[in-house]
Amino acid sequence: MIVQLLKCFGTAAGGGNAALVVENDHASVTARQTFAREHRVGACVFIDRQADGAIVLDYYYPHTRSALCLHATLAATHVLLTAPGATATLTVSTAMHGQALQLVRRAAGISQRLFVGLTPQPAPAVMLEKYLASELMGQHMHLLSPPVIASVGSAKLLLEVADSSILRALRPNLELIADWSTLHTVNGCYVYCRTGEDSYEGRNFNHLDPSLEDSATGVAAGALASHRQQSLRLHQGHVTQQPCLIEVHYRPGEILVGGMVQACT
């Protein structure tokens, strides 16, 4: 088994959202979940190479298996596309739903930029009561737009607040968010605010442990771009002291999510 620790979407050296990439592992789902729980990294992705040459990505958070995790996918992209002799693009699929993902490496001067290409996915049809945001956040919430569920493969409840000060002060009810999410097949909620014409800041609430809050959430960035129908730059990680930037290129039916990836030694 080969295990690599990488940090994704960070804006400074050594920063970003951590993910473990695991190769040459043939363990069961239960064993993989135990591995993820014991290592307590934001996400683990297992690269499974099939007999026909196909590559499947299998994702785990410490508390649950996931249909899709884009920061872990970006970490896997670094492993698969920066090795000697690697191609510039590669199509893989996800273990739980068989979703096709396009891994892309682009030259940018003397550096390389990595992206994951995917398409908007159907979101669960859920009646969103007007008091839902206040209940989940544990305080009265004034939203700038109606709550919405959007998905690029892992559905998010999107909640828009007025500014960064409100966003950064939130201390939500994580157990209630987890229960509500399980009931409605949604992968947590993403609270965001607009900071410019095409720039946003956000926080993801999915893990039960506040110390495991995501510093960058690629699936939320993709869902937000799909909902807004625009390319955008999404800042995250101020609260976790791991500033991150997610870049999303949007075209109808096609979304590219990318950012910096750094290997940890």
Side-chain angles (χ1 to χ4, degrees), residues 41 57 77 113:
V41 173
L57 302 183
T77 301
R113 301 171 69 197

Side-chain angles (χ1 to χ4, degrees), residues 127-140:
M127 180 69 71
L128 301 176
E129 300 88 350
K130 62 180 181 180
Y131 54 81
L132 176 64
S134 297
E135 283 197 346
L136 296 180
M137 293 299 111
Q139 65 183 71
H140 175 70

